[in-house]
Every structure is written in structure tokens, then in C-alpha cells.
Amino acid sequence: YYEPIPDTKYSVVLCFFVDDETIAIPNPVNPDNNTDALYHRLDLLYMNNATEDTEFCRLYDEYATPDESTIKFPPEAFADPIHYLNTLETFHDVVDIELFINDFSGAVANPGLIDGVRTDVILSAEIEEYWRNNGRESVWRYFGTENGVFRIFPGVIADKRYDPTRQTWYRRALSRQEDYTFSRPVPSPFGGGNMVTISRVIFHTRTEEVLGVIAADITELYYYSMLYAEIPECLSDQYDCFLLDDSGYFMESLDNTTIYYLSTFNSNTQNM
């Protein structure tokens, strides 16, 4: 149901959900067929001809999988974080991790991950199909859990120290759990230039426990194009427009200078 508010451009919308579905999580959790998780060390997999049917490409001059997500664990997801940080990962390490997180029988030995990590990997696998068929406007789509499990699409290699729970997009979403949150345009750690991250908390349906944060990156150019489509008056010399966050902090100045900068940046990136 919706109803326009007189003398404004807004409407009141009221949505009713017919029913919620509760899905029981078996213990222990085992993956289904065709949901194999791909560990993020694509360089080691590629150099050792262990790619199987995975399609590889170069994205922002890095190994990437355009049709599959990759999984990354922070140091704190390992029983011995110091050992993980001070040891170079090998191809055999990658094989051990992938065998464990994709094991159907539950008989493969744990390569040193804390409890809950494997479950997070399995339960987040369904997101990949949605990402593959939706969200073409975004450059990166990713999901971080409270255990630090990080799934990103398209799949890329992440920094060894990267922990989603310590990132601004994750913490800001936790601070505003009922809202979608937006970041300022900043350089993406995964490549592609300045990005705006849109993030939101994901809850367990029954317990309302925080499971993690889902996020997407859009380019700075696309971000401003959406803003100017909604408020074209800011392109006029008659107005000075400024973007503030919900705490009243200044984020961006919306003016013709911004448009000039973005058009120049876009031209340069196309010629590179």
C-alpha cells in the first residue's frame, strides 16, 4: 500500500510480509554438491595448474575469477594467528584449506581454523548465485561474518592481514543496524579506483543474532550520477550543494567542479 504525501514529492509505503521461513541449520554443517568454495590464493592455484573448470582473468592487473567468488580468512580466524602471519602460504596449504571447507564427509582434518569458520563459508555460498545474476551496477560485492570470513565477487586475492570486521564499512553498518550505510569515495583495496561502499547488517531470522555484513562497491562516477539524477539543481550555478552524513559531518561538495574532476578521471582511465 502506498499513498502520496500532499504538496511533496514523497509517498508513504506500507509493506506486509505474508510469512517468514525458518531453516534449521544441521550440526555439523556440510556443503552441498556444486557449492565448492574457492580460496583466494588464485596465484598459487593458477601456477600449479589446479584451476579445474574455474575461469581465470586479469582484473586491475591481478588474478581474478569473473564468475566465482573467493574466500579469505583473517589471522584471527586461525587458531595460531602469529604462525599464519609469519609463514608464507604454499600451494599445499591452499589445498588443505579447500579440502576442509569443501569436505562432504566431515572426515578431513581441520588445517588450523577456529570453530565456526567452515560453517560461515558454507552458509554464505548461496549468495554467489545471486551476485552472479544481479548487481551489475556494482564493481565488487562482498560479505563479512563475525568470525572474519570474507567472501568477495568477482573473486580476487586479498591482503593476508585483511579482516572485514575491522573495516569502516563493516563497523558503520553495525552502528546503524536497521539502515543501509554509505561510505565516502575512497580507493578500493581490491582495485578500480575510488569506490563508495553500500553496506547493511544481516541478521539470523529467528534469533536476530548478527551474522555479518553484506556490501557492494559502486564507482565514484556512478555514485555522483545517481545523486545528480535526483537533485539536478546542484548542477546549476544558482545553488551550492553539500552532502552531510546522518551525524551532520561534511562528506562531499556537489558542484560543477566535481563533475569536471570525474569526467577527467574517467577519460584518463579509458586511455590507460
Side-chain angles (χ1 to χ4, degrees):
Y1 170 81
Y2 74 94
E3 185 72 26
I5 301 175
D7 301 321
T8 74
K9 63 178 181 180
Y10 300 104
S11 297
V12 174
V13 181
L14 184 62
C15 298
F16 295 95
F17 291 93
V18 177
D19 194 14
D20 284 333
E21 181 180 0
T22 301
I23 301 175
I25 300 174
N27 188 20
V29 175
N30 286 314
D32 295 324
N33 287 316
N34 301 319
T35 60
D36 283 1
L38 187 65
Y39 193 58
H40 76 114
R41 288 305 304 269
L42 302 177
D43 52 338
L44 295 177
L45 293 171
Y46 188 83
M47 288 187 294
N48 286 276
N49 297 316
T51 59
E52 298 183 357
D53 296 330
T54 302
E55 180 183 351
F56 277 68
C57 70
R58 300 288 289 185
L59 183 60
Y60 305 119
D61 203 31
E62 298 289 346
Y63 289 101
T65 51
D67 295 321
E68 295 185 42
S69 62
T70 51
I71 294 291
K72 163 74 175 69
F73 307 127
E76 289 75 12
F78 291 84
D80 189 348
I82 302 301
H83 175 77
Y84 168 75
L85 283 172
N86 294 332
T87 305
L88 290 176
E89 279 185 312
T90 66
F91 172 66
H92 296 292
D93 295 328
V94 174
V95 170
D96 288 344
I97 289 174
E98 289 199 343
L99 285 175
F100 174 69
I101 61 179
N102 294 308
D103 176 39
F104 295 101
S105 65
V108 174
N110 187 336
L113 296 168
I114 63 173
D115 293 339
V117 166
R118 181 170 176 270
T119 299
D120 287 353
V121 172
I122 297 167
L123 294 180
S124 64
E126 294 296 329
I127 301 175
E128 182 175 303
E129 186 66 25
Y130 179 83
W131 283 340
R132 190 180 292 117
N133 298 317
N134 297 275
R136 296 297 179 184
E137 299 86 357
S138 57
V139 178
W140 304 109
R141 281 141 274 173
Y142 40 90
F143 177 65
T145 74
E146 288 287 271
N147 286 320
V149 173
F150 182 65
R151 182 184 288 271
I152 182 170
F153 182 90
V156 289
I157 302 171
D159 186 277
K160 196 172 189 177
R161 297 161 296 180
Y162 189 86
D163 184 345
T165 65
R166 297 187 177 184
Q167 307 306 310
T168 302
W169 58 267
Y170 194 99
R171 294 183 174 182
R172 184 167 178 80
L174 287 181
S175 70
R176 298 298 300 268
Q177 297 188 4
E178 302 300 325
D179 301 320
Y180 287 94
T181 64
F182 287 72
S183 73
R184 295 187 63 179
V186 294
S188 168
F190 313 112
N194 284 359
M195 300 285 173
V196 173
T197 301
I198 308 167
S199 57
R200 184 180 174 90
V201 168
I202 299 296
F203 297 96
H204 192 288
T205 304
R206 179 171 54 83
T207 66
E208 297 186 358
E209 175 188 2
V210 174
L211 299 178
V213 175
I214 193 167
D217 284 354
I218 58 175
T219 64
E220 187 176 19
L221 182 61
Y222 185 70
Y223 171 66
Y224 281 111
S225 69
M226 290 193 300
L227 289 177
Y228 288 121
E230 292 296 323
I231 42 174
E233 295 84 359
C234 291
L235 294 173
S236 170
D237 293 333
Q238 295 179 324
Y239 297 93
D240 291 322
C241 298
F242 303 93
L243 184 64
L244 308 178
D245 67 13
D246 53 8
S247 298
Y249 289 101
F250 173 83
M251 291 184 67
E252 299 292 334
S253 173
L254 306 179
D255 54 29
N256 290 324
T257 304
T258 303
I259 289 294
Y260 173 77
Y261 159 72
L262 290 172
S263 63
T264 304
F265 173 80
N266 189 48
S267 176
N268 289 339
T269 54
Q270 290 177 347
N271 294 331
M272 288 175 63

